Amino acid sequence: MHQRQKPSAPEHRSDPAADGGALSMSHNDSRSLLNLSQLVLSAGQIKPSPALKHSKITYFEVEILDVQSKKQICIVDKVPPASTVLDVKHKFHKACPQWYPSRVGLQLERNGPFLKDSINIQSLAVSSIITLYFTDLGQQVGWTTFFLTEYTGPLLIYLLFYIRLSTIYDQVESRKNFRHPVVHLACFCHCLHYIRHLLETLFVHKFSEGHAPLKNMIKGCAFYWGFTSWIAYYINHPRYTPPSFGHRQVSYAALAFLMCEAGNHFINVALAHQTNSGNKTCFPSPTYNPFTWLFLLVSCPNYTYEAGSWISFTVMTQTLPVGIFAFLMVIQMSLWAQKKHKLYLKRFYPEVRRKAAMIPVIF
């Protein structure tokens, strides 16, 4: 038998150097890749270059035209998308220093409403160029200054007539005639009314953005200050005659006046609390406070109580100037109430649709 001869090693064995070299190279590549991965992870996220970051931002150009002549006043360029209308007004003021931001009125359409300062400029954009119309609103004052000036005047003016200055009344006649108690009560109620307004202006009311025209403040001061002078002159006159039904008429009217003042205050507090809490999705609802139950019948009970205060004051003093002032106030309050009622209908239709604006059935 012949032994089977084994094949020689050089013929059938693979090259050790070649195999070992291939394994060594793949192992080194794996270690290099692992080291590179660890380096990237330790270095953190790779930040994009500033040029790439800024290249993605879109700027707007705001073209401002005169609302009357449609002529271009200026172009506010490089407006970021996050800017507001107020930011555009400040940039416009830098280009045209004669117009302060408070007196600049901007409209998207010539006959459209003025844009609020908080509106985002990107929400108005159809393209990269936005066209707005400019209106000079005139000299402006803040709402707090507006109401403080309007309400401080009547408070001081009435007190000047109450002390019966010698330049207003005859001193001999003033000492001779006795003051009826309703004169002192009227002074207390009148001062209480305007002190409440001043305190609510400072601590309760949250005014909307923007300012009020100075000419409107002058008109308001002329109205309130003028009527206060007329009212105070007659009530504090030495020849003033008390109401026809005497103490009973004065007492009931004074009680109604105080109740209307309290109701007006609690309604204003409820409205301010709604604004502060940010809950603007539902109409204010009555609370455990009975003075807020008027919300069940009318949408603007603060105007209802305000009108009730002046009607009660008219009955209490039985004076013609107070009656005329109360009549004008009821008309003005009803106009304001109807305007606000229409806004409530748009926002809170299900809750407000069966309510009156100010006085049930009548308004």
Side-chain angles (χ1 to χ4, degrees), residues 27-67:
H27 183 65
N28 291 336
D29 290 343
S30 300
R31 291 186 61 183
S32 300
L33 182 61
L34 178 62
N35 292 336
L36 179 61
S37 301
Q38 291 178 352
L39 180 63
V40 171
L41 292 175
S42 63
Q45 185 177 2
I46 299 178
K47 296 181 180 180
S49 62
L52 180 63
K53 182 178 179 181
H54 287 290
S55 64
K56 295 181 180 180
I57 296 180
T58 303
Y59 292 97
F60 295 103
E61 289 187 358
V62 180
E63 181 187 24
I64 299 180
L65 308 179
D66 183 77
V67 71

Side-chain angles (χ1 to χ4, degrees), residues 164 170-180 237-240:
R164 290 184 176 178
D170 181 71
Q171 290 299 306
V172 177
E173 192 174 13
S174 298
R175 297 190 189 97
K176 179 180 177 181
N177 293 341
F178 171 75
R179 289 197 185 192
H180 193 274
H237 198 280
R239 297 184 182 180
Y240 168 75

